[in-house]
Amino acid sequence: MSFQSLGLSEALLKAISKKGYTNPSPIQQKAITPILQGKDVLASAQTGTGKTAGFTLPLLHILSENPKEKYRPIRALILTPTRELAAQVYANVKEYSEFLNLRSAVIFGGVNQKPQAATIKQGIDVLVATPGRLLDLQNQGLLSLKRVEIFVLDEADRMLDMGFLRDIERIIKSMPEKRQNLMFSATFSKDIKKLAHGILNQPVQVEATPENTTVDAISQKVYRVAKGLKTDLIIKLISDGNWKQVLVFTRTKHGANKLCEKMSKSGISSAAIHGNKSQGARTKALDGFKNGRVRVLVATDIAARGLDIPLLPHVINFELPNIPEDYVHRIGRTGRAGAVGEALSLVSADETTFLKDIEKLIEVKLPVDIIEGFEPDPNASTDPVKPGQGRQNRTPRKASNNSGNSTRNNKSRRQKRN
Ligand code: AMP
């Protein structure tokens, strides 16, 4: 199937060929046609599947086909959970609309709102936004969503994880009832299905990969290891493999910083990316990683959301996530665009429960290996590490009401940590 056969305009085809895409990805093949037909779409797709172009291309096509108004009300709203994802989606919107007479803007928190408000005042057709800043500007009367024709909810599962449900509901109320809705999510929990039911009108359902399963192109492996040997093991793996671009996940910001320091000390250039870092620092770290100056990017789950790193060969879970769905998100960073990727997890005794939860979710028993000299500690407790307790040997502040297994209840806690 070609992009031409999907019925996209010449101006979009030109932008697509400038990007170097030859064929639509599976999610694009499935989603673009129903979107062009004006239908609501519920798509199961994670980062790396080409989902952004999957909704952006038809959205731009529809907007540019309709008569333009001199005064540009916001006609399309793309809502994303994180600043990084917003910036990235916006970059895509800009690229794909290069040859169209459409204006777009991005707004997110953590930066001065004035330039954002000024751009919106000039009139834009497409707005990419995170919920908080959007509501801020709306409350100040600086933007109106009353003319929105197309609403995209990107990474809906993460939106819920981050506690944005109420914000989403408020935003939806401020849009016209009659509009086209597109919802993208990597996973489909009961809550997501409920949200979809409330937003979408007889949606066409499409999926890039089956629900909650991991992409075939990713080879996954678990190294059982003593907790105190993890840092040495990761350094060995990266050095021995001479890996040039590795994304490493830790559960906490503190863990990310600490690991980063230790790797840099052993001569492996690395940078950490997490919620405590300024927008500027995050962008710098990501740019360094993309252009090869930084060999290892150490990230927490929320900070890594939506990072666009093409053809990433290696993802390492320094610690397993306590929320099994996050494992799927994490390893979705590798094996893109037909390339084979490798996802390794360093698992200590206290992460056994997390491992079981993940295997249950993905319905795959992960192959386990042990590297000589880095054996697991036979005496270590298999009691699960408490969510929020990422550091080695750290005593929990409140040992009482944490079961370690509980995922939902710990989301607000995790949000603070990231
Ligand atoms: P996404 O899933 O939207 O984050 O996209 C993942 C990566 O795939 C991005 O680097 C895109 O630029 C790239 N991409 C999107 N569509 C295609 C396509 N049809 N062919 C090749 N690469 C693509």
Side-chain angles (χ1 to χ4, degrees):
M1 193 189 270
S2 65
F3 279 109
Q4 278 85 351
S5 65
L6 291 170
L8 295 167
S9 68
E10 280 305 319
L12 285 167
L13 293 175
K14 200 167 148 189
I16 291 166
S17 95
K18 201 172 163 194
K19 279 286 276 178
Y21 305 163
T22 46
N23 293 102
S25 69
I27 194 71
Q28 292 161 4
Q29 292 181 22
K30 291 176 194 165
I32 291 178
T33 303
I35 299 175
L36 286 175
Q37 290 166 346
K39 292 181 179 149
D40 279 12
V41 167
L42 176 60
S44 160
Q46 60 194 56
T47 308
T49 54
K51 69 180 169 74
T52 316
F55 61 75
T56 307
L57 293 170
L59 178 152
L60 295 172
H61 182 101
I62 294 170
L63 295 185
S64 61
E65 291 284 289
N66 291 346
K68 290 160 209 86
E69 293 183 43
K70 243 202 203 140
Y71 155 76
R72 296 170 187 257
I74 298 167
R75 294 172 62 197
L77 171 67
I78 304 171
L79 211 54
T80 76
T82 64
R83 302 180 259 192
E84 279 81 10
L85 186 61
Q88 207 173 285
V89 169
Y90 173 65
N92 278 302
V93 170
K94 288 293 275 186
E95 283 175 323
Y96 300 139
S97 60
E98 184 181 346
F99 307 107
L100 296 171
N101 179 16
L102 290 174
R103 282 201 225 140
S104 51
V106 63
I107 58 172
F108 46 73
V111 292
N112 188 348
Q113 71 162 44
K114 270 195 189 146
Q116 299 178 347
T119 311
I120 290 167
K121 201 169 168 200
Q122 285 166 13
I124 50 152
D125 305 281
V126 182
L127 179 65
V128 185
T130 53
R133 179 56 59 96
L134 180 69
L135 285 168
D136 268 1
L137 295 185
Q138 207 177 22
N139 291 339
Q140 296 169 61
L142 296 172
L143 70 83
S144 163
L145 300 176
K146 292 215 167 75
R147 301 285 298 277
V148 168
E149 298 160 34
I150 308 176
F151 170 54
V152 184
L153 190 62
D154 196 11
E155 304 208 344
D157 46 354
R158 182 56 47 145
M159 289 272 190
L160 295 192
D161 281 354
M162 291 176 73
F164 284 137
L165 181 61
R166 295 277 161 273
D167 286 353
I168 294 170
E169 286 170 350
R170 282 170 61 201
I171 290 164
I172 285 171
K173 280 204 188 107
S174 66
M175 289 189 282
E177 256 180 50
K178 193 173 166 305
R179 50 167 209 272
Q180 185 177 8
N181 301 289
L182 314 173
M183 185 165 145
F184 283 71
S185 189
T187 53
F188 280 88
S189 62
K190 244 202 242 145
D191 290 344
I192 286 290
K193 286 180 179 151
K194 202 169 134 198
L195 180 68
H197 187 73
I199 296 178
L200 303 166
N201 183 17
Q202 297 184 324
V204 173
Q205 290 198 31
V206 294
E207 57 183 272
T209 47
E211 278 183 28
N212 291 340
T213 56
T214 43
V215 195
D216 288 343
I218 303 171
S219 110
Q220 302 168 67
K221 194 181 214 176
V222 165
Y223 286 114
R224 284 286 191 172
V225 57
K227 196 165 194 159
L229 296 176
K230 279 191 179 187
T231 305
D232 289 341
L233 176 57
I234 199 169
I235 290 170
K236 178 185 160 60
L237 289 169
I238 294 170
S239 308
D240 287 3
N242 199 17
W243 296 339
K244 300 285 182 234
Q245 208 182 31
V246 191
L247 180 62
V248 175
F249 284 95
T250 59
R251 261 197 309 270
T252 64
K253 292 180 278 198
H254 173 82
N257 285 340
K258 210 165 122 187
L259 182 61
C260 205
E261 268 169 40
K262 287 199 177 149
M263 281 203 277
S264 297
K265 269 190 199 147
S266 342
I268 298 175
S269 57
S270 58
I273 183 161
H274 55 63
N276 274 8
K277 299 259 174 182
S278 68
Q279 189 59 30
R282 293 198 218 186
T283 310
K284 196 170 153 229
L286 189 56
D287 286 349
F289 187 58
K290 281 187 182 176
N291 68 27
R293 258 187 301 111
V294 172
R295 214 167 137 190
V296 180
L297 190 66
V298 187
T300 56
D301 288 291
I302 288 185
R305 225 23 214 182
L307 290 187
D308 181 20
I309 308 157
L311 298 176
L312 188 65
H314 304 282
V315 169
I316 304 182
N317 295 308
F318 184 75
E319 289 150 338
L320 285 180
N322 55 305
I323 295 172
E325 281 86 356
D326 281 346
Y327 177 84
V328 181
H329 290 303
R330 287 179 177 192
I331 73 159
R333 313 279 154 180
T334 184
R336 306 185 150 195
V340 176
E342 188 176 38
L344 305 176
S345 301
L346 311 191
V347 180
S348 50
D350 56 356
E351 293 172 301
T352 305
T353 312
F354 298 161
L355 180 61
K356 282 193 188 139
D357 289 348
I358 289 164
E359 290 181 331
K360 207 162 121 196
L361 175 78
I362 63 175
E363 293 176 352
V364 171
K365 187 117 187 77
L366 296 173
V368 175
D369 209 348
I370 292 174
I371 295 190
E372 210 184 317
F374 299 90
E375 288 83 4
D377 178 355
N379 301 318
S381 159
T382 52
D383 287 350
V385 61
K386 303 270 188 287
Q389 181 203 355
R391 287 184 238 174
Q392 292 173 15
N393 304 328
R394 192 173 122 189
T395 18
R397 252 168 292 175
K398 259 193 211 161
S400 55
N401 52 9
N402 255 334
S403 73
N405 257 338
S406 146
T407 55
R408 301 266 162 248
N409 297 341
N410 284 303
K411 277 172 186 160
S412 59
R413 188 188 316 261
R414 190 179 61 144
Q415 203 178 327
K416 272 185 217 126
R417 286 189 288 114
N418 281 280

